[in-house]
Amino acid sequence: MQALLFTSANGVRAFADAIQARHLRVLAVGDATAAEARSAGFPQVQSAAGDSEALAAFAIEALDPQAGRALHITGDHIAGDVVGTLQKAGFAAERHVAYKSVAVTQLPSALAGDIDTILFHSARAAEIFLSLGAPRANQLTAACLSPAIARAASDSPQTRIAWARIIVSPHPREDALLQAALA
């Protein structure tokens, strides 16, 4: 195996909890995931500083299709097809589901409080919020980590939501999302 690919800090934590090996090269979707990998003890970590498409493109440039397989560690829900993109480029790649994400069945009571912005880090989170009725959406700003997440927040099959506004982070990073939300 030539590399582990992570698209979330949750994937890093789940893998690190299950496997003691830390010798493999790590390619991370972004800086926060890379920082989590370094914190977990992986010595050779690189960040694609983007989304799953950026990670796949980075892996194609950084790895050698003849040097062994790449293992994409994920949750049970993923946004992009990193493995499919790598396979089309001639890599031996596979996906391993390391954790499950469980959708809430009701929104936290804090949403009834004095808030004006909701941060969405995934399309699935936005879809779940919408499926639970999106209370007060017309009074809230949806701050989305990427254009794909913004589309999920605004184009629900269940309902059309009229947000007070939708903000899209200029870069798929937490710091950029927070700066956009506070601007």
Side-chain angles (χ1 to χ4, degrees):
M1 174 153 356
Q2 71 173 306
L4 299 171
L5 282 62
F6 292 105
T7 43
S8 75
N10 287 332
V12 172
R13 285 187 290 273
F15 184 85
D17 286 348
I19 307 291
Q20 294 303 313
R22 298 292 187 272
H23 66 284
L24 292 169
R25 180 178 182 184
V26 169
L27 303 184
V29 69
D31 296 342
T33 303
E36 188 68 31
R38 286 184 198 98
S39 177
F42 291 96
Q44 189 178 1
V45 179
Q46 295 171 283
S47 170
D51 57 12
S52 61
E53 289 177 14
L55 177 60
F58 182 66
I60 290 168
E61 286 186 28
L63 302 177
D64 176 358
Q66 305 306 313
R69 72 188 157 106
L71 184 60
H72 183 200
I73 308 298
T74 73
D76 56 342
H77 294 275
I78 58 172
D81 187 9
V82 172
V83 167
T85 301
L86 289 174
Q87 289 173 340
K88 286 178 188 170
F91 286 84
E94 62 186 72
R95 176 180 173 218
H96 174 75
V97 176
Y99 67 95
K100 291 187 179 204
S101 55
V102 179
V104 297
T105 57
Q106 65 182 37
L107 295 170
S109 60
L111 287 176
D114 188 25
I115 63 167
D116 60 8
T117 303
I118 295 181
L119 304 178
F120 290 117
H121 293 84
S122 72
R124 184 161 185 255
E127 291 163 356
I128 291 167
F129 181 78
L130 296 175
S131 75
L132 294 174
R136 300 181 41 239
N138 64 340
Q139 302 167 23
L140 299 172
T141 295
C144 304
L145 194 61
S146 72
I149 295 169
R151 283 190 297 279
S154 59
D155 295 332
S156 166
Q158 294 93 351
T159 181
R160 289 300 243 192
I161 298 299
W163 295 94
R165 77 187 170 134
I166 296 178
I167 295 171
V168 179
S169 177
H171 306 286
R173 295 188 327 260
E174 182 75 13
D175 61 333
L177 176 62
L178 292 173
Q179 286 177 354
L182 295 172

